[in-house]
Amino acid sequence: MTNKEARLEEVRQFLPQWLEESRKEAASGEVASYIPELSKASHTALGIHLLDIQGDSASAGDCGMSFTLQSISKVFTLILALIDNGEDAVFERVGMEPTGDNFNSMLKLELVRPGIPFNPLINAGAITISSMIKGATPEEKSARILDFFRRLSGGSPLKVNEAVYRSEFETGNLNRSIAYFLVENGVLNGSVEEVLSIYFRHCSIEATCRDLARMALILAGDGTDPLSGENLIPRRYVQIAKTFMITCGMYNASGEFAIKAGLPAKSGVSGGILTFVPGALGIGVVGPALNAKGNSSAGVHLIERLSQRMDWSLF
Ligand code: GLU
């Protein structure tokens, strides 16, 4: 735990104005369209919700908007895979290093032996992690993931956005290629289509900024829900997830984000960002227009500015 404080009263005073200023950054971004259904999101939307360990909250902008978790879900499937299999078994199948490549790149799978994914937050790693979730059938595995996410969100009735799921299942040929490559390398066992259905389903779980902030609050509490006192994740697994969020949570802008905001974070192609100040608060942001590195243009701008003003950086 750090001695950082949320100081939401102070945040509330400038949040609405800062959000509108950050919203302008969306103009330079693009909404993701490689999953066709995602392209329907509003280009200019921007919302934020902050929730501290006392249960105090602050929000602004389009914080009621629903969006799919996409890569943000990878943090929590990693944690569930760690709970299901233990640390040694997980790291036999995925590495611990950033790639410097795109999230959906296959390059290093072929170039760097023994062909295991570099980390669990790139697609190759997350698909491998999906295959490690316990359950007798793909449906049972997906149901366990959804149930785990609901518990982390304080009981929010999260569900899969079926239109986004179908859209990705129908067009996800690059992910299919990655999965077949992993089978060939002996990293992935079983049916590619079944593993992909689990992976696409958790990427398509729909949430709001409040849900993200609530889930992030559990990480801020080192695995214990600060609001109920219940331990939901072993502290060690939060430590692992948090480290990956710092080193590769913001794609190839993770170093820059660590310097400018200094917070563990994970973004997704839907424009969501989940971040937190350890020991103090959880934050959920959405802004669908993405910058060249694949992170929400307006969202990154807002979080960096907030963190600098509030001195939230861990470093
Ligand atoms: N479901 C997305 C994909 O596999 C997740 C990508 C992301 O959010 O980075 O392409």
Side-chain angles (χ1 to χ4, degrees), residues 48-51 209 212-214 216-217 263 273-277 281-285 303 306 312:
I48 186 168
H49 189 98
L50 305 98
L51 179 63
C209 290
L212 250 51
R214 189 71 179 83
L217 194 69
L263 298 174
I273 303 175
L274 177 150
T275 183
F276 61 98
V277 183
L281 83 155
I283 305 173
V285 173
I303 297 168
L306 264 173
W312 282 337

PDB file of all heavy atoms in Angstrom, residues 48-51 209 212-214 216-217 263 273-277 281-285 303 306 312:
ATOM      1  N   ILE A  48     -15.744   9.293 -17.421  1.00  0.00           N
ATOM      2  CA  ILE A  48     -14.823   8.832 -16.366  1.00  0.00           C
ATOM      3  C   ILE A  48     -15.588   8.614 -15.071  1.00  0.00           C
ATOM      4  O   ILE A  48     -16.553   9.342 -14.775  1.00  0.00           O
ATOM      5  CB  ILE A  48     -13.661   9.846 -16.147  1.00  0.00           C
ATOM      6  CG1 ILE A  48     -12.626   9.285 -15.143  1.00  0.00           C
ATOM      7  CG2 ILE A  48     -14.187  11.198 -15.678  1.00  0.00           C
ATOM      8  CD1 ILE A  48     -11.314  10.078 -15.103  1.00  0.00           C
ATOM      9  N   HIS A  49     -15.178   7.590 -14.323  1.00  0.00           N
ATOM     10  CA  HIS A  49     -15.728   7.357 -12.984  1.00  0.00           C
ATOM     11  C   HIS A  49     -14.559   7.028 -12.067  1.00  0.00           C
ATOM     12  O   HIS A  49     -13.699   6.210 -12.426  1.00  0.00           O
ATOM     13  CB  HIS A  49     -16.740   6.203 -13.020  1.00  0.00           C
ATOM     14  CG  HIS A  49     -17.503   6.041 -11.740  1.00  0.00           C
ATOM     15  ND1 HIS A  49     -18.773   6.549 -11.555  1.00  0.00           N
ATOM     16  CD2 HIS A  49     -17.175   5.431 -10.580  1.00  0.00           C
ATOM     17  CE1 HIS A  49     -19.192   6.255 -10.321  1.00  0.00           C
ATOM     18  NE2 HIS A  49     -18.242   5.573  -9.715  1.00  0.00           N
ATOM     19  N   LEU A  50     -14.529   7.673 -10.919  1.00  0.00           N
ATOM     20  CA  LEU A  50     -13.483   7.391  -9.928  1.00  0.00           C
ATOM     21  C   LEU A  50     -14.171   6.939  -8.644  1.00  0.00           C
ATOM     22  O   LEU A  50     -15.186   7.529  -8.246  1.00  0.00           O
ATOM     23  CB  LEU A  50     -12.635   8.641  -9.634  1.00  0.00           C
ATOM     24  CG  LEU A  50     -11.994   9.312 -10.846  1.00  0.00           C
ATOM     25  CD1 LEU A  50     -12.825  10.486 -11.314  1.00  0.00           C
ATOM     26  CD2 LEU A  50     -10.584   9.804 -10.525  1.00  0.00           C
ATOM     27  N   LEU A  51     -13.621   5.913  -8.007  1.00  0.00           N
ATOM     28  CA  LEU A  51     -14.237   5.359  -6.803  1.00  0.00           C
ATOM     29  C   LEU A  51     -13.138   5.105  -5.777  1.00  0.00           C
ATOM     30  O   LEU A  51     -12.191   4.362  -6.067  1.00  0.00           O
ATOM     31  CB  LEU A  51     -14.930   4.042  -7.183  1.00  0.00           C
ATOM     32  CG  LEU A  51     -15.636   3.250  -6.096  1.00  0.00           C
ATOM     33  CD1 LEU A  51     -16.802   4.036  -5.498  1.00  0.00           C
ATOM     34  CD2 LEU A  51     -16.152   1.930  -6.686  1.00  0.00           C
ATOM     35  N   CYS A 209     -18.074   2.748 -17.111  1.00  0.00           N
ATOM     36  CA  CYS A 209     -16.901   3.273 -16.381  1.00  0.00           C
ATOM     37  C   CYS A 209     -16.995   2.943 -14.898  1.00  0.00           C
ATOM     38  O   CYS A 209     -15.986   2.684 -14.248  1.00  0.00           O
ATOM     39  CB  CYS A 209     -16.810   4.793 -16.543  1.00  0.00           C
ATOM     40  SG  CYS A 209     -16.363   5.290 -18.196  1.00  0.00           S
ATOM     41  N   LEU A 212     -15.805  -0.563 -14.331  1.00  0.00           N
ATOM     42  CA  LEU A 212     -14.339  -0.606 -14.436  1.00  0.00           C
ATOM     43  C   LEU A 212     -13.693  -0.083 -13.150  1.00  0.00           C
ATOM     44  O   LEU A 212     -12.746  -0.682 -12.629  1.00  0.00           O
ATOM     45  CB  LEU A 212     -13.889   0.286 -15.602  1.00  0.00           C
ATOM     46  CG  LEU A 212     -13.325  -0.377 -16.854  1.00  0.00           C
ATOM     47  CD1 LEU A 212     -14.235  -1.460 -17.370  1.00  0.00           C
ATOM     48  CD2 LEU A 212     -13.054   0.655 -17.937  1.00  0.00           C
ATOM     49  N   ALA A 213     -14.218   1.021 -12.659  1.00  0.00           N
ATOM     50  CA  ALA A 213     -13.668   1.612 -11.435  1.00  0.00           C
ATOM     51  C   ALA A 213     -13.834   0.646 -10.267  1.00  0.00           C
ATOM     52  O   ALA A 213     -12.939   0.514  -9.421  1.00  0.00           O
ATOM     53  CB  ALA A 213     -14.360   2.937 -11.137  1.00  0.00           C
ATOM     54  N   ARG A 214     -14.966  -0.053 -10.239  1.00  0.00           N
ATOM     55  CA  ARG A 214     -15.246  -0.998  -9.137  1.00  0.00           C
ATOM     56  C   ARG A 214     -14.279  -2.184  -9.205  1.00  0.00           C
ATOM     57  O   ARG A 214     -13.774  -2.641  -8.178  1.00  0.00           O
ATOM     58  CB  ARG A 214     -16.705  -1.468  -9.253  1.00  0.00           C
ATOM     59  CG  ARG A 214     -17.214  -2.272  -8.071  1.00  0.00           C
ATOM     60  CD  ARG A 214     -17.397  -1.401  -6.851  1.00  0.00           C
ATOM     61  NE  ARG A 214     -17.909  -2.157  -5.704  1.00  0.00           N
ATOM     62  CZ  ARG A 214     -17.155  -2.881  -4.878  1.00  0.00           C
ATOM     63  NH1 ARG A 214     -15.846  -2.952  -5.068  1.00  0.00           N
ATOM     64  NH2 ARG A 214     -17.702  -3.520  -3.856  1.00  0.00           N
ATOM     65  N   ALA A 216     -11.356  -2.126 -10.655  1.00  0.00           N
ATOM     66  CA  ALA A 216     -10.022  -1.579 -10.384  1.00  0.00           C
ATOM     67  C   ALA A 216      -9.811  -1.378  -8.882  1.00  0.00           C
ATOM     68  O   ALA A 216      -8.693  -1.494  -8.379  1.00  0.00           O
ATOM     69  CB  ALA A 216      -9.841  -0.256 -11.117  1.00  0.00           C
ATOM     70  N   LEU A 217     -10.900  -1.104  -8.180  1.00  0.00           N
ATOM     71  CA  LEU A 217     -10.808  -0.886  -6.729  1.00  0.00           C
ATOM     72  C   LEU A 217     -10.311  -2.148  -6.015  1.00  0.00           C
ATOM     73  O   LEU A 217      -9.611  -2.057  -5.002  1.00  0.00           O
ATOM     74  CB  LEU A 217     -12.182  -0.475  -6.182  1.00  0.00           C
ATOM     75  CG  LEU A 217     -12.191   0.100  -4.767  1.00  0.00           C
ATOM     76  CD1 LEU A 217     -11.516   1.460  -4.722  1.00  0.00           C
ATOM     77  CD2 LEU A 217     -13.621   0.217  -4.229  1.00  0.00           C
ATOM     78  N   LEU A 263       0.772   5.084 -13.388  1.00  0.00           N
ATOM     79  CA  LEU A 263      -0.225   4.201 -12.766  1.00  0.00           C
ATOM     80  C   LEU A 263      -0.349   2.898 -13.544  1.00  0.00           C
ATOM     81  O   LEU A 263      -0.227   2.888 -14.770  1.00  0.00           O
ATOM     82  CB  LEU A 263      -1.601   4.892 -12.767  1.00  0.00           C
ATOM     83  CG  LEU A 263      -1.713   6.187 -11.974  1.00  0.00           C
ATOM     84  CD1 LEU A 263      -3.085   6.812 -12.188  1.00  0.00           C
ATOM     85  CD2 LEU A 263      -1.458   5.935 -10.489  1.00  0.00           C
ATOM     86  N   ILE A 273     -10.326   2.332 -20.561  1.00  0.00           N
ATOM     87  CA  ILE A 273      -9.068   2.240 -19.795  1.00  0.00           C
ATOM     88  C   ILE A 273      -9.443   1.983 -18.337  1.00  0.00           C
ATOM     89  O   ILE A 273     -10.278   2.691 -17.765  1.00  0.00           O
ATOM     90  CB  ILE A 273      -8.228   3.540 -19.857  1.00  0.00           C
ATOM     91  CG1 ILE A 273      -7.900   3.930 -21.301  1.00  0.00           C
ATOM     92  CG2 ILE A 273      -6.918   3.373 -19.059  1.00  0.00           C
ATOM     93  CD1 ILE A 273      -7.174   5.277 -21.435  1.00  0.00           C
ATOM     94  N   LEU A 274      -8.817   0.952 -17.772  1.00  0.00           N
ATOM     95  CA  LEU A 274      -8.981   0.676 -16.337  1.00  0.00           C
ATOM     96  C   LEU A 274      -7.649   1.000 -15.680  1.00  0.00           C
ATOM     97  O   LEU A 274      -6.601   0.526 -16.122  1.00  0.00           O
ATOM     98  CB  LEU A 274      -9.352  -0.795 -16.145  1.00  0.00           C
ATOM     99  CG  LEU A 274      -9.496  -1.319 -14.706  1.00  0.00           C
ATOM    100  CD1 LEU A 274     -10.521  -2.451 -14.677  1.00  0.00           C
ATOM    101  CD2 LEU A 274      -8.171  -1.819 -14.144  1.00  0.00           C
ATOM    102  N   THR A 275      -7.701   1.833 -14.654  1.00  0.00           N
ATOM    103  CA  THR A 275      -6.467   2.163 -13.957  1.00  0.00           C
ATOM    104  C   THR A 275      -6.772   2.362 -12.479  1.00  0.00           C
ATOM    105  O   THR A 275      -7.952   2.375 -12.079  1.00  0.00           O
ATOM    106  CB  THR A 275      -5.774   3.395 -14.597  1.00  0.00           C
ATOM    107  OG1 THR A 275      -4.535   3.647 -13.950  1.00  0.00           O
ATOM    108  CG2 THR A 275      -6.631   4.638 -14.556  1.00  0.00           C
ATOM    109  N   PHE A 276      -5.749   2.460 -11.664  1.00  0.00           N
ATOM    110  CA  PHE A 276      -5.997   2.626 -10.225  1.00  0.00           C
ATOM    111  C   PHE A 276      -4.780   3.203  -9.524  1.00  0.00           C
ATOM    112  O   PHE A 276      -3.662   3.129 -10.035  1.00  0.00           O
ATOM    113  CB  PHE A 276      -6.412   1.296  -9.581  1.00  0.00           C
ATOM    114  CG  PHE A 276      -5.389   0.195  -9.669  1.00  0.00           C
ATOM    115  CD1 PHE A 276      -4.537  -0.074  -8.604  1.00  0.00           C
ATOM    116  CD2 PHE A 276      -5.272  -0.583 -10.808  1.00  0.00           C
ATOM    117  CE1 PHE A 276      -3.602  -1.099  -8.666  1.00  0.00           C
ATOM    118  CE2 PHE A 276      -4.331  -1.604 -10.893  1.00  0.00           C
ATOM    119  CZ  PHE A 276      -3.497  -1.866  -9.822  1.00  0.00           C
ATOM    120  N   VAL A 277      -5.071   3.799  -8.377  1.00  0.00           N
ATOM    121  CA  VAL A 277      -4.004   4.274  -7.500  1.00  0.00           C
ATOM    122  C   VAL A 277      -3.969   3.284  -6.334  1.00  0.00           C
ATOM    123  O   VAL A 277      -4.929   3.220  -5.556  1.00  0.00           O
ATOM    124  CB  VAL A 277      -4.299   5.702  -6.977  1.00  0.00           C
ATOM    125  CG1 VAL A 277      -3.137   6.200  -6.115  1.00  0.00           C
ATOM    126  CG2 VAL A 277      -4.574   6.654  -8.128  1.00  0.00           C
ATOM    127  N   LEU A 281      -7.695   4.389  -4.918  1.00  0.00           N
ATOM    128  CA  LEU A 281      -8.914   4.449  -5.727  1.00  0.00           C
ATOM    129  C   LEU A 281      -8.827   3.688  -7.045  1.00  0.00           C
ATOM    130  O   LEU A 281      -7.731   3.430  -7.552  1.00  0.00           O
ATOM    131  CB  LEU A 281      -9.334   5.895  -6.013  1.00  0.00           C
ATOM    132  CG  LEU A 281      -8.724   6.681  -7.148  1.00  0.00           C
ATOM    133  CD1 LEU A 281      -9.664   7.770  -7.608  1.00  0.00           C
ATOM    134  CD2 LEU A 281      -7.435   7.298  -6.691  1.00  0.00           C
ATOM    135  N   GLY A 282     -10.012   3.344  -7.575  1.00  0.00           N
ATOM    136  CA  GLY A 282     -10.135   2.714  -8.888  1.00  0.00           C
ATOM    137  C   GLY A 282     -10.697   3.727  -9.871  1.00  0.00           C
ATOM    138  O   GLY A 282     -11.500   4.587  -9.499  1.00  0.00           O
ATOM    139  N   ILE A 283     -10.277   3.615 -11.133  1.00  0.00           N
ATOM    140  CA  ILE A 283     -10.704   4.581 -12.152  1.00  0.00           C
ATOM    141  C   ILE A 283     -11.114   3.834 -13.413  1.00  0.00           C
ATOM    142  O   ILE A 283     -10.407   2.926 -13.867  1.00  0.00           O
ATOM    143  CB  ILE A 283      -9.558   5.569 -12.504  1.00  0.00           C
ATOM    144  CG1 ILE A 283      -9.029   6.271 -11.251  1.00  0.00           C
ATOM    145  CG2 ILE A 283     -10.016   6.583 -13.556  1.00  0.00           C
ATOM    146  CD1 ILE A 283      -7.790   7.136 -11.497  1.00  0.00           C
ATOM    147  N   GLY A 284     -12.252   4.206 -13.986  1.00  0.00           N
ATOM    148  CA  GLY A 284     -12.689   3.680 -15.281  1.00  0.00           C
ATOM    149  C   GLY A 284     -12.909   4.824 -16.241  1.00  0.00           C
ATOM    150  O   GLY A 284     -13.498   5.852 -15.875  1.00  0.00           O
ATOM    151  N   VAL A 285     -12.408   4.667 -17.460  1.00  0.00           N
ATOM    152  CA  VAL A 285     -12.524   5.734 -18.469  1.00  0.00           C
ATOM    153  C   VAL A 285     -12.969   5.103 -19.778  1.00  0.00           C
ATOM    154  O   VAL A 285     -12.582   3.973 -20.087  1.00  0.00           O
ATOM    155  CB  VAL A 285     -11.143   6.431 -18.669  1.00  0.00           C
ATOM    156  CG1 VAL A 285     -11.181   7.423 -19.815  1.00  0.00           C
ATOM    157  CG2 VAL A 285     -10.691   7.128 -17.401  1.00  0.00           C
ATOM    158  N   ILE A 303      -6.364  11.122 -18.023  1.00  0.00           N
ATOM    159  CA  ILE A 303      -5.742  10.408 -16.889  1.00  0.00           C
ATOM    160  C   ILE A 303      -4.363  10.994 -16.583  1.00  0.00           C
ATOM    161  O   ILE A 303      -3.998  11.199 -15.421  1.00  0.00           O
ATOM    162  CB  ILE A 303      -5.617   8.894 -17.168  1.00  0.00           C
ATOM    163  CG1 ILE A 303      -6.997   8.266 -17.338  1.00  0.00           C
ATOM    164  CG2 ILE A 303      -4.882   8.184 -16.025  1.00  0.00           C
ATOM    165  CD1 ILE A 303      -6.963   6.847 -17.897  1.00  0.00           C
ATOM    166  N   LEU A 306      -4.806  14.311 -14.802  1.00  0.00           N
ATOM    167  CA  LEU A 306      -5.304  14.107 -13.434  1.00  0.00           C
ATOM    168  C   LEU A 306      -4.193  13.605 -12.512  1.00  0.00           C
ATOM    169  O   LEU A 306      -4.028  14.093 -11.391  1.00  0.00           O
ATOM    170  CB  LEU A 306      -6.378  13.022 -13.448  1.00  0.00           C
ATOM    171  CG  LEU A 306      -7.841  13.424 -13.519  1.00  0.00           C
ATOM    172  CD1 LEU A 306      -8.699  12.183 -13.694  1.00  0.00           C
ATOM    173  CD2 LEU A 306      -8.245  14.164 -12.251  1.00  0.00           C
ATOM    174  N   TRP A 312      -0.384  11.324  -8.258  1.00  0.00           N
ATOM    175  CA  TRP A 312      -0.743   9.926  -8.029  1.00  0.00           C
ATOM    176  C   TRP A 312       0.334   8.958  -8.508  1.00  0.00           C
ATOM    177  O   TRP A 312       0.235   7.756  -8.257  1.00  0.00           O
ATOM    178  CB  TRP A 312      -2.055   9.592  -8.737  1.00  0.00           C
ATOM    179  CG  TRP A 312      -3.288  10.077  -8.026  1.00  0.00           C
ATOM    180  CD1 TRP A 312      -3.415  10.353  -6.705  1.00  0.00           C
ATOM    181  CD2 TRP A 312      -4.571  10.332  -8.622  1.00  0.00           C
ATOM    182  NE1 TRP A 312      -4.715  10.754  -6.428  1.00  0.00           N
ATOM    183  CE2 TRP A 312      -5.436  10.753  -7.584  1.00  0.00           C
ATOM    184  CE3 TRP A 312      -5.078  10.247  -9.928  1.00  0.00           C
ATOM    185  CZ2 TRP A 312      -6.780  11.074  -7.805  1.00  0.00           C
ATOM    186  CZ3 TRP A 312      -6.410  10.557 -10.154  1.00  0.00           C
ATOM    187  CH2 TRP A 312      -7.247  10.977  -9.113  1.00  0.00           C
TER     188      TRP A 312
END
